[in-house]
Amino acid sequence: MTTTTQPIADADTGPAPGAVLSVRGLRKDFTLHTIDGRTVGALHGVDLDVGPGEHVALAGTSGAGKSTLLRCVYRTYLTGSGHIWFRTETGESVDIAALPDAEVAQLRGHEIGYVSQFLRSQPRRSVLSIVATAGVARGMDREAAHDAAAAALRQVGIDEQLWDMHATVLSGGQKQRVNIAAGTISPPRLLLLDEPVSALDPANRAAVLDLIARLEETGTAVLSVFHDLDAIERLATRVVVLGGGKVLATGAPEDILRDPSLPLEVAR
């Protein structure tokens, strides 16, 4: 099994030296209220770090806890225990797991982005407005955000005739590309990607992967889930394998993805 040594964060004080994100001892359980009230464990003490300009891809079989981990970092899910240390642009260390909701919302708008295969379509909001608003939230003035949004939409292949339309009328693949454009405009310090190219045809998939690859130049820390071996090999600087809610291995993509002893579920 392939492993690498990572910097150690003090579980009680902040992220590892140089890291943007340090997850320590993270646990998450779900209670099945609609069935019989039993508790099902999803994460069982996960530790990982992501540094500036690093792309860490989560791998493992279905049910390993990959998407759950992303949602805990984004605070869509509340954690059971553990710490999610984030180093802000001012250098302050905050524990996302313990922050008040208002402070989490502020981080989401400005410093932490999340892109999934689904776009939450906003009524009466145009495609261009959705993307430009993400740029404004990250500190761009409106004119610069408008120009950057137009450039991002061109990059992901959204026809200009669609920019003034409400996103609710777009196809699934178009919504996914708008989501990518909004997630990468004025790139955040930390970007979470959950199957961001799953609904795309080969040409648009290639364009989106090009866009994600360039995030390394901006210093954005990326934590992602892909069920696509080619995408992981192209984008990831490190792969973390989850199994049964625990970290089983971490290392370079060329080592991890070819280790027959690891439970992987990726397609080429």
Side-chain angles (χ1 to χ4, degrees):
M1 187 172 295
T2 307
T3 59
T4 58
T5 301
Q6 299 183 55
I8 300 301
D10 186 323
D12 296 320
T13 61
V20 172
L21 175 71
S22 287
V23 176
R24 290 294 178 266
L26 186 62
R27 293 181 174 273
K28 172 63 180 174
D29 296 327
F30 293 99
T31 301
L32 306 181
H33 296 289
T34 59
I35 302 178
D36 54 11
R38 68 180 138 170
T39 298
V40 177
L43 300 174
H44 305 286
V46 170
D47 297 340
L48 63 81
D49 299 299
V50 189
E54 186 177 22
H55 187 134
V56 175
L58 301 174
T61 58
S62 297
K66 304 183 294 296
S67 293
T68 296
L69 176 55
L70 291 187
R71 291 167 187 163
C72 286
V73 173
Y74 198 58
R75 253 285 285 278
T76 306
Y77 290 161
L78 294 175
T79 61
S81 61
H83 300 274
I84 303 170
W85 291 110
F86 177 71
R87 195 183 311 278
T88 70
E89 62 182 7
T90 64
E92 179 186 6
S93 297
V94 296
D95 184 359
I96 294 172
L99 282 180
D101 289 345
E103 293 183 37
V104 172
Q106 186 174 15
L107 282 178
R108 285 177 178 172
H110 188 58
E111 299 194 50
I112 302 175
Y114 181 91
V115 176
S116 74
Q117 56 187 303
F118 305 109
L119 172 70
R120 293 181 180 177
S121 300
Q122 302 168 49
R124 296 177 297 282
R125 293 285 298 281
S126 71
V127 168
L128 184 63
S129 174
I130 289 172
V131 180
T133 298
V136 171
R138 294 184 188 131
M140 303 180 76
D141 64 52
R142 293 193 178 277
E143 184 176 354
H146 181 280
D147 292 344
L153 288 169
R154 290 190 185 99
Q155 172 67 34
V156 298
I158 297 295
D159 192 286
E160 194 165 346
Q161 294 179 343
L162 299 175
W163 294 1
D164 290 332
M165 299 180 69
H166 295 165
T168 52
V169 306
L170 300 182
S171 69
Q174 289 169 333
K175 289 177 181 178
Q176 194 169 33
R177 283 180 279 151
V178 171
N179 215 10
I180 283 284
T184 54
I185 185 176
S186 185
R189 281 182 62 74
L190 174 65
L191 182 61
L192 308 171
L193 301 175
D194 193 359
E195 287 296 322
V197 296
S198 61
L200 303 186
D201 59 70
N204 286 312
R205 174 183 175 279
V208 168
L209 292 181
D210 283 343
L211 188 61
I212 296 171
R214 290 203 294 272
L215 291 174
E216 182 178 356
E217 302 169 5
T218 70
T220 299
V222 179
L223 183 63
S224 70
V225 175
F226 287 95
H227 289 299
D228 183 326
L229 183 60
D230 287 337
I232 294 174
E233 287 183 321
R234 176 178 177 184
L235 299 173
T237 54
R238 184 157 46 87
V239 178
V240 173
V241 181
L242 296 181
K246 298 179 179 180
V247 174
L248 302 181
T250 178
E254 59 268 23
D255 297 327
I256 293 290
L257 297 178
R258 287 167 176 75
D259 188 336
S261 69
L262 294 174
L264 301 177
E265 194 174 83
V266 290
R268 187 181 288 278

